[in-house]
Amino acid sequence: MNISVIGCGYLGAVHATCMADIGHTVVGIDVDQAKVDSLNAGQPPFFEPGFTELLASASTRLRFSTDISNVADCSVHFIAVGTPQSESGAADMTYVDAAVTALVPHIGPGHVVVGKSTVPVGTAERLRQLIEPTGAKLMWNPEFLREGFAVEDTLNPDRLVYGIHGGDDDLIAVLDAVYLPIIERGTARLVMDYATAELVKVAANSFLATKISFINAMAEISEVVGADVTALADAIGYDNRIGRRFLNAGIGFGGGCLPKDIRGFVRRAHELGVGDAVNFLEDVDSINLRRRARVLDVLSSELDGVAGKTIAIWGIAFKPDSDDIRDSPALDIAESLARAGAKVVAFDPEAMSPAEKRVQASGLADMVTFAPTATEALIDADALVVATEWEQFRAADPAALPGAAGRIVVDGRNCLDRELWKAAGWHYIGMGRR
Ligand code: NAD
């Protein structure tokens, strides 16, 4: 099939490439010329494991362009543009609306537009009214991929969700044909109305955010009573109804999805007059942000204030195996320390280039600098904060590390071997741990 993907960021570029990988001819459209050039040259504009290789192997059926008229030969058009948080906290729909407006002159009968962006409930119904006069149809097919596993998750999703308008059952076969190899592997495919499909995505992210903030709330209490939240998580995680995953206390969630999705959900629910149903998500958000502040508090108390101190930070990306720094707890902590007068020396295996641009833009380039290696970040440091659980940080030999005068380590992800670090002479401080 001939397919277009409008919006080639973390989601769209991977989706376009995976669709080419499973045999379709794909054109990816983006307004960012540099991104398009880089993708056409086989160089991903962001870090995602396995993506470079897939981009190379799928290249004969895949091209990228800024010219939307290149979608003319395609009959299925995925919308994968960003829906960032606006100032009010609601999802900013400018990009989705612009993409659909640009697409409309190029679609007609027999075409199917498939929404993948995460949107406020009610969006698909609104867009249907723009798309249907052309004779084309609209489906909503939310995306659940995780950065760091984007290729794997796109090719082997836990489930596919199809949101359709009543009476459009014939569209199911179109999307089944797109996803044929995935469906043939027995992947669950769930068909529902637009509103339910839109809600599935924000409900899933709300649940995951709640689970993380729940264990971080237990960490806050553990810190006061001298309990160990990791042992607590292990013990409650044995209960199958609870499960151990997403119960790792630390500096909380970030990235381009969870924080803005829960805030957008709260805003949308209030608009719909059902804000009370999701007010708890405001607490989830507050607990999450408090964990970032906790690192500052701990360092201030251990170092008798952070002003004038040098703090090494391992990890800047919001999660390992990604270079995404959107709403990254690690970067937020680095910037807060700098604003409090500390000199921050950071290292991240993949996210230093976007992070450098960001600290320059925020006027903190003098206070937040970057070291070429994790070890070099430690030279002259008064303390170390592990802020992103990259494997190389977990695997570091604490006995072989230089610097860090007081040998204080704040394990913001509870990802280090506490006993090993203590045995190497470090003063280990975990999150929610004695
Ligand atoms: P992103 O910012 O990385 O990418 C968005 C892309 O859209 C950018 O490259 C931008 O230049 C492009 N764009 C903006 N306006 C355009 C237009 N009018 N025409 C063509 N291209 C345009 O964002 P992302 O992380 O890929 O997220 C995209 C959507 O997918 C969001 O709604 C997000 O919530 C959702 N989502 C993301 C993930 C993820 O892990 N990143 C997972 C599931 C869902």
Side-chain angles (χ1 to χ4, degrees):
M1 296 172 82
N2 285 355
I3 289 175
S4 80
V5 178
I6 322 292
C8 294
Y10 285 91
L11 162 58
V14 172
H15 190 71
T17 309
C18 288
M19 292 303 101
D21 179 68
I22 61 174
H24 302 298
T25 300
V26 182
V27 58
I29 303 291
D30 203 287
V31 290
D32 183 337
Q33 185 71 54
K35 200 171 271 189
V36 162
D37 291 346
S38 152
L39 287 163
N40 277 330
Q43 285 156 2
F46 50 83
F47 175 75
E48 185 60 47
F51 184 45
T52 311
E53 297 78 357
L54 200 74
L55 199 53
S57 66
S59 64
T60 51
R61 288 183 299 279
L62 178 64
R63 69 192 199 286
F64 295 90
S65 173
T66 53
D67 181 357
I68 188 98
S69 69
N70 280 313
V71 307
D73 296 338
C74 304
S75 54
V76 175
H77 310 273
F78 286 97
I79 304 288
V81 297
T83 49
Q85 184 181 321
S86 65
E87 260 181 35
S88 70
D92 180 351
M93 295 305 292
T94 317
Y95 306 100
V96 170
D97 291 348
V100 170
T101 305
L103 184 61
V104 157
H106 304 284
I107 54 177
H111 288 222
V112 182
V113 179
V114 186
K116 287 202 87 60
S117 302
T118 303
V119 294
V121 59
T123 301
E125 182 52 36
R126 180 172 67 76
L127 297 177
R128 185 179 73 83
Q129 290 163 31
L130 300 173
I131 288 164
E132 281 207 345
T134 68
K137 299 279 190 180
L138 175 69
M139 300 179 78
W140 213 265
N141 172 221
E143 178 57 57
F144 303 94
L145 69 81
R146 298 160 299 166
E147 285 174 26
F149 301 89
V151 170
E152 166 70 14
D153 286 352
T154 305
L155 293 173
N156 297 292
D158 290 337
R159 75 304 210 184
L160 293 163
V161 169
Y162 296 1
I164 57 169
H165 180 61
D168 281 346
D169 294 355
D170 50 324
L171 297 184
I172 299 168
V174 177
L175 211 45
D176 279 356
V178 171
Y179 291 135
L180 188 63
I182 297 169
I183 293 202
E184 281 180 344
R185 276 198 294 276
T187 306
R189 186 259 274 142
L190 306 151
V191 180
M192 56 195 72
D193 54 78
Y194 284 159
T196 310
E198 291 165 326
L199 275 178
V200 167
K201 176 63 194 175
V202 283
N205 276 358
S206 297
F207 190 86
L208 294 172
T210 302
K211 207 169 171 190
I212 296 169
S213 278
F214 171 80
I215 201 65
N216 279 332
M218 296 306 108
E220 282 189 26
I221 294 168
S222 298
E223 277 153 12
V224 170
V225 301
D228 186 325
V229 75
T230 305
L232 181 152
D234 288 345
I236 64 172
Y238 272 102
D239 185 330
N240 286 335
R241 295 167 303 174
I242 296 172
R244 182 64 178 79
R245 296 185 69 193
F246 268 66
L247 282 184
N248 293 323
I251 55 174
F253 56 82
C257 290
L258 255 52
K260 61 107 174 151
D261 286 352
I262 62 169
R263 291 170 197 152
F265 193 17
V266 170
R267 286 285 310 195
R268 183 65 182 138
H270 277 278
E271 279 167 17
L272 294 167
V274 285
D276 285 352
V278 291
N279 275 344
F280 72 96
L281 290 174
E282 292 180 335
D283 284 333
V284 166
D285 200 6
S286 305
I287 293 166
N288 191 53
L289 296 177
R290 279 206 299 274
R291 297 319 287 168
R292 302 180 187 186
R294 165 83 185 156
V295 173
L296 234 80
D297 292 346
V298 166
L299 285 173
S300 294
S301 116
E302 292 291 333
L303 298 171
D304 198 16
V306 295
K309 304 291 180 348
T310 300
I311 313 292
I313 298 204
W314 281 2
I316 287 292
F318 86 98
K319 66 185 292 193
D321 294 318
S322 175
D323 64 351
D324 196 345
I325 58 163
R326 288 177 290 185
D327 207 342
S328 166
L331 186 53
D332 197 3
I333 288 168
E335 292 190 337
S336 302
L337 282 165
R339 285 196 190 93
K343 182 177 179 312
V344 174
V345 186
F347 170 77
D348 188 285
E350 295 293 338
M352 300 224 278
S353 163
E356 262 178 289
K357 286 183 198 131
R358 155 78 180 261
V359 295
Q360 257 156 26
S362 50
L364 292 169
D366 289 346
M367 299 302 279
V368 182
T369 57
F370 297 88
T373 63
T375 307
E376 282 162 274
L378 277 172
I379 297 167
D380 299 331
D382 294 294
L384 165 65
V385 178
V386 179
T388 314
E389 65 273 43
W390 284 92
E391 183 52 36
Q392 80 169 84
F393 304 153
R394 288 176 189 272
D397 175 2
L401 295 171
R407 287 180 94 70
I408 295 166
V409 57
V410 178
D411 184 0
R413 296 294 182 182
N414 287 346
C415 64
L416 304 179
D417 181 336
R418 176 170 62 176
E419 299 316 317
L420 188 71
W421 281 70
K422 282 164 72 173
W426 288 79
H427 174 43
Y428 175 97
I429 303 164
M431 305 297 285
R433 311 185 76 187
R434 275 190 306 278

